[in-house]
Amino acid sequence: MKLNARRASALVILLALAVAACGSSSKKASSDGGSGSTSTTAAAEKITATLAGSGSTFQKSFDEAVIESFKKVQPGITISYGGGGSGKGKTDLAAGVDQWAGTDSLVKPEDVAKYTSGLLYWPLVAAPITLSYNLTGVDKLVLDGPTTAKIFQGEIKTWDDAAIKALNSGAKLPSTKITVVHRSDASGTNSNFTKWLASAGGADWKLTAGDTTNWPADEVAGNGNPGVAKAVKDTPGAIGYVDYSDAKASGLVFASIVNKAGKAVAPSLDGTSAALAQTTLNADLTYNPLNAAGDTTYPIATPTWIITAKTYKDANVVKALQAFLTYIYGEGQNLAKDVDFAKLPADFVTKAKAQLTMLTAG
Amino acid sequence: MTIAVAETEVALRGRSAPGDAAFRALTLVCALLVLVILGWITLAMGKEAWPVISGRARDFFLGQTWNPDASNPLFGSLGFVYGTVVSSIIALVFAVPVSIGIALLVTDIGPRLVRGPITFIVDLLAAIPSVVFGLWGVLVLAPKFLDWYDTLARAVHPVPILGSLLSANGGGGGSGRSFFTAGLILALMITPIITSISMAVFQTTPSGQKDAALAMGATRWEMIRATVLPHSRHGLTGAVLLALGRAMGETIAAALVIGSSVQVSKHLFSPGDSMAAVIANQFGEATGDFRAALIGLGVFLFLLTIVVNLIARAIVGDAAAAAAGRGR
């Protein structure tokens, strides 16, 4: 191994670049830290605690918005949210690694015993899942449960299929081949979309409804909502399920979905709030907004929860969690719209606030 | 000179025996630490995976259906093992000739002037993070290759075996993410490994043999075929197997370009899935048996790569011994 002059000089240049990059970023970090500490001294509130969280990536943008604005109210409480997926959130909370977690799906009954300090659900917000498609000349499309099930199972292969035509009498549907795009990763969006298919598709839906699905071979897969959105946008004739904010951000066109009342409704935050209003909240604050009743209801939505333990050793953690959750059910709900989430109906908020006393120290 | 060296050795041995003993113990601890950690990883992962492997070993190792969220979940690893093996073989098919070509250019064919820059560039290739390869593969290569795959599939369609290998299930469509695309990306990633090991191996060819071949009137290629390649056979096999281990374990690049469709298909332009890729894709949402099954896949992959590496070690060891013997 001889280090010749050319290689040595290239190394020197690379090192110099690396040092320069590190230098500038550390300078930025330290100046941020400085401004943060000045606001801490100016704070009036006294709770000091650290709340670490992880879990659902779906609710991450909402969590970040709430944490950001909560910091102004309670600068002494440091809240972090690492994402990583609902499964990670559940595992971390059960293991006591985190003080709180985010999840789009409920803890399985057989796993509840693993939460030795108890388990509480806190409904957070909800968001519609769109059926986005890429079909030139068709800017309005109506789909229902059974037809969507057949499309995603590969039984309806072209856009001019009789079943699609029957739902869209006015539209000029081309004979383009349908390319189905689904998720490559396990996800709450996949779970809620397939559970809607299981509910609205009836006997026509034959696959597994859950975080993962045994999709037919040779369909296209994308990682995360952005991955599916990109695949739909790049492939003429494609259709995929994408959460509302990613579909909007990618400029996708989405279908109106026939709801339980037989009305075709386009995805919207209002339609999702309407679905929540039609849904009964269980005693443990879990609920299922899929395929809800009502004329204005959009039938496919992802509910999402914060989950916490019931008892914590540190009384400050309990106080901090109560303050954070109180903020979420007050100011926080108004932030939902800015990040494309639908806020909770008033009775959900009331019931969630009533649960705050169940958080105890000891 | 020789006397002076001998004296120093004697002096060292005589003076600091306790220091030597301590140093030997320290190095031994370092070596054992690696063993302990390896054993620990295997045991801990094996324990986590046990619920799925113990009762359902047959389903796990031989089953083809992966349906973790069904009411009666099935965790068959065959589709992933197949994807891992097939994409790695494709990678070797492309990377081995190219790497050996580069190595020969550097050691025996090219002018001295180009050797430095070429080695430097190949080393740079090894420094690119795998996620960059993956993103480049999924954003640039896959869409571009879609048309090429189509053309290629049509061109070789009448050829008996090649025709079905180089095609997609159901023909056309898709996203260009496939066993084949994954293989090509992996090929790029293992090229530096094979190249640098082959260069080292080629350089051990005794120059006497090479000179003799040239003196007999052999052309450069004849010289390489008669002396360098036979001499390096074992070393090259070792290099290829080390690269194979790397290709099998590659996670994020494979996850991005292989297409995430669980199937055992003879059509290489079809999307597939690999062991490392499915762990990366699904671990975040996995709990209970699902999580155990993914960890089980990790253990399985670990064992497969250990086997490949052991074979590689045995062959490289032989080659070193043979080279040492011949050099004398």
Side-chain angles (χ1 to χ4, degrees):
Chain A
M1 273 300 192
K2 237 193 312 172
L3 195 69
N4 63 31
R6 194 176 294 115
R7 209 191 290 186
S9 62
L11 266 178
V12 168
I13 294 171
L14 280 177
L15 270 176
L17 282 173
V19 169
C22 293
S24 63
S25 65
S26 65
K27 202 183 291 171
K28 192 171 166 243
S30 66
S31 72
D32 282 357
S35 67
S37 61
T38 48
S39 67
T40 310
T41 49
E45 296 288 338
K46 305 154 209 64
I47 306 174
T48 311
T50 302
L51 303 178
S54 68
S56 155
T57 48
F58 168 75
Q59 57 169 267
K60 197 165 186 247
S61 58
F62 177 72
D63 288 332
E64 280 164 355
V66 175
I67 291 169
E68 185 65 31
S69 77
F70 182 64
K71 208 183 278 172
K72 289 168 201 147
V73 188
Q74 284 280 8
I77 304 179
T78 310
I79 306 178
S80 64
Y81 188 70
S86 300
K88 177 177 158 54
K90 289 182 208 168
T91 315
D92 285 354
L93 184 73
V97 180
D98 286 342
Q99 285 75 42
W100 63 290
T103 179
D104 311 331
S105 50
L106 305 181
V107 175
K108 289 194 180 124
E110 66 264 30
D111 288 339
V112 171
K114 290 182 188 160
Y115 295 79
T116 45
S117 304
L119 173 67
L120 291 173
Y121 287 98
W122 306 90
L124 193 61
V125 281
I129 300 171
T130 70
L131 264 172
S132 295
Y133 62 96
N134 179 345
L135 205 55
T136 13
V138 181
D139 48 8
K140 267 194 177 157
L141 186 72
V142 176
L143 290 172
D144 62 7
T147 312
T148 312
K150 284 178 195 155
I151 291 175
F152 275 80
Q153 284 166 167
E155 290 154 12
I156 294 179
K157 293 182 192 303
T158 55
W159 281 104
D160 58 356
D161 190 278
I164 306 178
K165 272 186 176 164
L167 290 164
N168 299 275
S169 45
K172 274 190 214 147
L173 291 163
S175 61
T176 316
K177 181 177 168 286
I178 300 180
T179 303
V180 171
V181 185
H182 58 73
R183 290 285 287 262
S184 65
D185 48 337
S187 94
T189 309
N190 195 87
S191 174
N192 287 294
F193 175 65
T194 49
K195 280 175 183 157
W196 168 72
L197 281 174
S199 161
D204 286 316
W205 174 250
K206 303 175 196 97
L207 304 178
T208 301
D211 287 345
T212 61
T213 301
N214 48 342
W215 297 113
D218 295 314
E219 291 185 350
V220 174
N223 192 295
N225 278 305
V228 175
K230 188 177 183 320
V232 171
K233 203 168 170 64
D234 290 350
T235 319
I239 183 165
Y241 48 98
V242 184
D243 79 336
Y244 186 64
S245 71
D246 284 302
K248 260 176 52 176
S250 306
L252 292 174
V253 187
F254 23 78
S256 294
I257 308 295
V258 176
N259 63 19
K260 206 173 185 178
K263 301 273 192 306
V265 176
S268 71
L269 298 181
D270 291 343
T272 303
S273 292
L276 263 56
Q278 295 285 340
T279 306
T280 22
L281 194 62
N282 302 324
D284 61 355
L285 302 191
T286 61
Y287 66 100
N288 176 7
L290 296 169
N291 211 21
D295 281 356
T296 58
T297 291
Y298 181 72
I300 327 172
T302 305
T304 188
W305 290 268
I306 282 178
I307 49 175
T308 67
K310 272 181 191 161
T311 52
Y312 291 85
K313 286 204 179 82
D314 187 348
N316 279 332
V317 169
V318 173
K319 273 189 231 160
L321 269 177
Q322 283 168 334
F324 182 47
L325 288 164
T326 309
Y327 187 79
I328 285 175
Y329 293 119
E331 285 294 302
Q333 290 296 314
N334 299 328
L335 296 170
K337 202 171 179 154
D338 301 340
V339 277
D340 289 317
F341 286 96
K343 63 181 194 177
L344 299 174
D347 65 316
F348 279 44
V349 170
T350 318
K351 283 178 188 159
K353 277 182 172 168
Q355 193 183 249
L356 283 167
T357 51
M358 288 180 71
L359 282 169
T360 52
Chain B
M1 272 300 274
T2 43
I3 295 166
V5 170
E7 269 172 2
T8 344
E9 272 178 13
V10 170
L12 271 176
R13 207 182 298 156
R15 205 170 40 223
S16 57
D20 270 14
F23 185 62
R24 193 179 306 144
L26 190 68
T27 50
L28 188 68
V29 168
C30 292
L32 285 179
L33 197 63
V34 176
L35 254 183
V36 169
I37 291 175
L38 268 181
W40 189 15
I41 291 177
T42 320
L43 275 181
M45 301 240 303
K47 192 175 146 242
E48 294 269 331
W50 193 244
V52 167
I53 295 179
S54 64
R56 284 168 277 175
R58 210 190 137 79
D59 277 351
F60 182 74
F61 289 109
L62 300 173
Q64 213 192 114
T65 313
W66 181 260
N67 196 358
D69 285 305
S71 50
N72 193 5
L74 281 171
F75 304 103
S77 62
L78 200 62
F80 305 112
V81 177
Y82 179 80
T84 298
V85 171
V86 164
S87 60
S88 304
I89 290 175
I90 297 172
L92 289 184
V93 166
F94 285 93
V96 170
V98 171
S99 307
I100 292 179
I102 300 174
L104 282 177
L105 178 79
V106 171
T107 57
D108 288 297
I109 300 173
R112 268 176 203 288
L113 210 65
V114 302
R115 296 181 185 179
I118 289 180
T119 337
F120 179 58
I121 290 168
V122 172
D123 287 351
L124 267 188
L125 200 59
I128 299 176
S130 58
V131 65
V132 175
F133 275 116
L135 286 175
W136 179 64
V138 72
L139 297 178
V140 181
L141 277 194
K144 209 159 246 155
F145 278 12
L146 195 50
D147 295 340
W148 298 356
Y149 286 160
D150 217 32
T151 318
L152 193 59
R154 246 173 251 154
V156 299
H157 184 63
V159 187
I161 298 169
L162 215 57
S164 66
L165 276 183
L166 298 183
S167 65
N169 252 352
S175 56
R177 297 172 207 175
S178 61
F179 292 117
F180 203 80
T181 312
L184 289 180
I185 294 287
L186 290 177
L188 260 182
M189 300 177 67
I190 61 176
T191 296
I193 300 176
I194 308 181
T195 307
S196 57
I197 299 179
S198 332
M199 278 193 309
V201 172
F202 290 157
Q203 275 159 356
T204 63
T205 314
S207 55
Q209 286 184 16
K210 294 203 260 182
D211 292 345
L214 291 172
M216 298 280 289
T219 62
R220 201 152 274 261
W221 162 238
E222 283 165 348
M223 179 274 284
I224 289 170
R225 213 178 49 184
T227 64
V228 178
L229 292 184
H231 179 84
S232 315
R233 207 175 55 231
H234 286 288
L236 282 184
T237 318
V240 167
L241 286 176
L242 279 180
L244 179 61
R246 168 85 166 86
M248 284 167 63
E250 176 48 40
T251 305
I252 197 70
L256 283 165
V257 296
I258 202 163
S260 303
S261 177
V262 194
Q263 59 172 327
V264 175
S265 165
K266 62 182 175 185
H267 305 286
L268 299 183
F269 293 164
S270 293
D273 214 336
S274 81
M275 300 166 88
V278 73
I279 298 174
N281 270 331
Q282 304 196 338
F283 198 77
E285 296 291 330
T287 50
D289 277 0
F290 185 9
R291 189 163 170 274
L294 288 175
I295 295 174
L297 276 182
V299 177
F300 195 6
L301 179 60
F302 187 46
L303 293 179
L304 284 180
T305 41
I306 285 180
V307 169
V308 168
N309 270 294
L310 282 180
I311 297 173
R313 269 207 67 81
I315 292 171
V316 174
D318 280 0
R326 212 173 299 180
R328 238 166 238 163

